[in-house]
Amino acid sequence: MERRFLGIDVGGTGIKYALMDNQGKILEQSEAPTPMTSLDDYLQTLVGLYHHYENENIEAVVVAAPGRIDAATGYFYTGGALTYVHEVNLKELLEKEIPVPVVFENDAKAAAQAELWQGSMKGISNGIVMTIGTAIGGAIILDGKLHRGSTYAAGEFSMIPVHWKNQDGFDVWAFTASTHALTDRLARQKNIDPASFSGRDFFTLHANGDSEAQQSLEDFCTELVRGMFGLQTILDVDKIAIGGGISRQPILIETLNQKMSELFAMLPSFNPASQPEICSCTFSADANLIGALYHYLDLTNQL
């Protein structure tokens, strides 16, 4: 009999859910609103999704969600934008209502595990998965395994300090090298309302030869690569994979590799760091679902 799983990807506004097989193939998929009201409403929504598929002989429920999560126990230290999920063991609560195992994984770390299993990180011993969007999330792969850190927060790149000489403290990488930073700067330069200017708008201008957009991308990639180089001097990875909607723009990956090559050409001969390959992630919309399943299979030694 085909093994089946219920995959759930909790977002800030919507919950994607899917019936999946043990190879990560999505057999059926839909979406529901994310409850913003209370923990009870959140729990009942997830329980309801299980009951929707309970006749499918579901083996386990695998969930990707925002927050700082102990993925072995299902304990949420924080819940991201879902503030009612704070210092709560969701696994224990749900397994009182659902008669199969329930496992949780941080959403960015789930996406990285999808890449490790079947995507850009397959066969890679050491790598970085970096998701560029409103902020900069991601994960670190060391010795072929996800590195979680002592408090499950490894790979949260947004808060890396930059511009140390700011007298009021320091800026952080999310403010200077996220998609939001890229579009916001150009919109203000052109006196466009930043709220109405998207990444798609930016790359349309770039493709049409807009000189300000082209220079903005050059500056943005320089900023990103300098941060990547800092990570490389610490982690010494083979590959850096870029995720998020922006990663679907080939010019971004091309420019990042160009800037990384230029940086390494400038470095002194005694520099010990090696140049990593930069590529786009294989998965996009379904990465969290596939990675949550990988986490369950890895946790239960079924890979």
Side-chain angles (χ1 to χ4, degrees):
M1 179 183 295
E2 183 180 57
R3 299 169 64 193
R4 295 194 168 190
F5 302 84
L6 170 58
I8 298 175
D9 177 15
V10 179
T13 57
I15 297 176
K16 290 198 303 183
Y17 58 96
L19 184 65
M20 308 169 71
D21 69 12
N22 63 308
Q23 296 302 312
K25 180 181 178 182
I26 293 175
L27 308 173
E28 183 180 315
Q29 187 174 20
S30 191
E31 190 165 342
T34 301
M36 305 305 293
T37 45
S38 69
L39 177 61
D40 284 342
D41 289 342
Y42 180 64
L43 291 170
Q44 289 312 306
T45 296
L46 299 188
V47 171
L49 295 179
Y50 169 76
H51 287 312
H52 180 72
Y53 285 113
E54 62 184 330
N55 293 330
E56 298 284 349
N57 295 315
I58 298 298
E59 180 177 324
V61 178
V62 298
V63 187
R68 184 162 66 90
I69 306 166
D70 182 339
T73 66
Y75 186 86
F76 280 63
Y77 291 90
T78 65
L82 304 180
T83 54
Y84 54 73
V85 185
H86 181 75
E87 297 183 348
V88 173
N89 191 308
L90 284 180
K91 175 180 173 68
E92 288 182 357
L93 293 175
L94 282 171
E95 287 185 346
K96 292 177 181 177
E97 305 287 337
I98 295 175
V100 299
V102 180
V103 299
F104 286 90
E105 179 60 282
N106 168 269
D107 46 9
K109 290 179 173 59
Q113 288 176 94
E115 297 297 319
L116 181 62
W117 187 18
Q118 299 181 24
S120 62
M121 289 291 148
K122 186 173 182 179
I124 295 295
S125 294
N126 302 303
I128 294 170
V129 177
M130 187 177 295
T131 305
I132 302 173
T134 306
I136 307 174
I140 300 163
I141 307 297
L142 295 179
D143 297 327
K145 288 284 189 179
L146 178 70
H147 177 65
R148 298 182 181 279
S150 299
T151 62
Y152 317 106
E156 296 295 335
F157 302 128
S158 284
M159 297 304 294
I160 292 176
V162 295
H163 303 159
W164 291 88
K165 293 184 179 180
N166 184 336
Q167 292 181 350
D168 298 322
F170 54 80
D171 294 328
V172 296
W173 209 16
F175 295 163
T176 64
S178 62
T179 303
H180 174 75
L182 174 68
T183 57
D184 186 78
R185 277 196 294 263
L186 186 62
R188 294 183 189 281
Q189 195 173 346
K190 291 185 171 295
N191 295 313
I192 300 171
D193 178 8
S196 66
F197 189 69
S198 68
R200 183 177 287 110
D201 296 328
F202 178 95
F203 282 101
T204 297
L205 284 175
H206 188 283
N208 289 335
D210 184 277
S211 60
E212 291 177 319
Q214 291 175 342
Q215 187 59 53
S216 289
L217 185 64
E218 292 278 321
D219 295 342
F220 175 77
C221 288
T222 297
E223 183 87 23
L224 260 179
V225 159
R226 287 175 178 172
M228 290 176 183
F229 175 71
L231 294 173
Q232 180 67 352
T233 63
I234 299 166
L235 298 171
D236 188 24
V237 300
D238 305 304
K239 182 184 285 190
I240 300 174
I242 307 298
I246 194 173
S247 69
R248 293 192 289 273
Q249 300 289 338
I251 188 63
L252 173 75
I253 305 302
E254 178 184 323
T255 306
L256 286 172
N257 277 299
Q258 174 194 331
K259 293 296 180 184
M260 187 66 83
S261 293
E262 290 173 0
L263 186 152
F264 269 84
M266 293 168 50
L267 294 173
S269 59
F270 56 78
N271 162 56
S274 59
Q275 182 173 339
E277 175 190 353
I278 302 171
C279 68
S280 59
C281 286
T282 302
F283 299 104
S284 53
D286 298 328
N288 294 357
L289 294 168
I290 295 167
L293 175 60
Y294 175 94
H295 167 59
Y296 168 78
L297 296 174
D298 186 40
L299 198 64
T300 54
N301 297 312
Q302 296 184 55
L303 285 171

